[in-house]
Amino acid sequence: MPRPASSASTGAFPRTIGATRLLQAFPRSGSSMDKLVIRGGTPLLGSVRVSGAKNAALPAMAAALLTEEDVILENIPQVRDIETERKLLAAMGAEVELGYGRAQHRTTISCSHLAKPEASYDLVKTMRASTLVLGPLVARMGHARVSLPGGCAIGARPIDLHIKGLEKLGAKITQEHGYIEARADRLKGARVVFEKITVTGTEDLLMAATLAEGETVLENCAREPEVSDLAALLNKMGARIEGAGTHTIRVHGVTKLHGARHRIIPDRIEAGTFIIAAALTGGDLMISGCDPSHLGALIEKLQECGVSLRTNGESVRVMSDAPLKAADITTEEFPGFPTDMQAQFMTLATQAEGASIITENIFENRFMHAQELVRMGANIKIDGRRAVVRGKTALSGAAVLASDLRASASLVLAALVADGETIIDRVYHIDRGYERIEEKLKGVGAQIRRIGELLPRRSPVPVSAI
Ligand code: EPZ
């Protein structure tokens, strides 16, 4: 497919084959010193648009490793984890072009010249999802060297099920110096039963199985929408996958995959976060560009709490000024209540009349936000994987510390209803998964600003400047 030399209207730049040169300045996400300053008490009014899903974009970018042809992805969120994924692929010799201007949510990935099938510790330690390159690399290149991710704020999060699954497909896997080495002349189709439902484990094996010899049957798979979105992309690339979105996925291996163009699904967790923001602030907010069918468990629970909302096509409207009622949640795999919405729901529970019991079933250490909410005046008792939240309690602005991506979102929500000013430190966590959160919230009336060193908006930079 000939590519135009350079055209301002498409935002594409000519590329030099082999050399990984990237003509971009990363989006306006802040530095690690940034803080968010929020004054609470303003109902959110108007409309906010949801970005593409980080947790669908990351496996989709890794899937490009499976072919030497271009993969074009649209609706890519401008978040820090995407930049990390770009670096990861570029370090292997891939060319990753993140668009800018009108094409800023598009990325073109070419893995025609992969020189080094390796994911280094420096990158993997900043983003666990980097391990998603393991399956595609061993499937296409016959060899992969991937750093083990190490510990994480929310739990141990081992990747043993990824490894066991690849061994079932015939990969020889060794581990030394903190790295996994996987080798296989060609993977062979097999039956893999996951001992536990794992989202990225399912995605890793799904990608590996596309180029395996014969049929692979994956059982006890994750049914998350992000898994189905990955399967849709892979089928566009020529894979033969059936059953994505169910617990059993069948993959008929092929010898080669080709390029494709694919639009990433909307971010259901970002959408859920804005829905709770509107419910908490007593606002009237339209959340557009989302897929309500991905939000079933959350919407049902919020209605139980007395939140009035309406879904319509690609939008959810929240008109909520009624008092909130307490409700219990237990986090589960999709379509159950998502663990990535647990922290945000905890903030809502602090403003609900009565006691809510929150049970975290997926990760063993995902209540780090609770103590910060207590510092703001919340009444929360933790007992292992159970938290009892008593409300309604008045929250007051304070200096708080974000510990991980969703914990930081719960603190932003608390600050929106707190009396006075809240200063949230370490917001680099939130930049990992929320695109321009302060601009989006400001656009619907929130009193929010970022302090710290702001990076310039994405614009073309002359090659010599890199
Ligand atoms: C994905 O993580 C998401 N990340 C997480 O979102 C999300 O919280 C999680 O799924 C659950 O929904 C991405 O998609 C990039 P798992 P993943 O493997 O795949 C255990 C966010 O906030 N397990 O489904 O790493 C594991 O420890 C992030 O955006 C093993 O024991 O989660 C956990 O207890 C945070 N061995 C459970 O399974 C394995 O090999 C589920 O984890 C793999 C997982």
Side-chain angles (χ1 to χ4, degrees), residues 54-56 58-59 81 127-129 132 152 154-163 196-203 222 224 226 268-269 332-334 338-340 361-364 366 385 404-406 433:
K54 164 186 80 81
N55 290 348
L58 295 173
D81 275 8
M127 182 181 76
R128 315 179 58 74
L132 275 167
C152 168
I154 64 176
R157 302 184 73 182
I159 57 166
D160 56 321
L161 303 177
H162 300 229
I163 294 169
K196 212 174 179 177
I197 293 178
T198 159
V199 176
T200 51
T202 302
E203 293 165 344
E224 269 65 5
E226 294 77 22
R268 61 194 168 100
I269 307 299
E332 292 169 296
E333 297 86 3
F334 190 87
T339 173
D340 293 349
N361 261 344
I362 306 294
F363 293 109
E364 62 273 24
R366 202 169 201 180
R385 288 188 179 220
D404 61 78
L405 170 58
R406 307 305 170 184

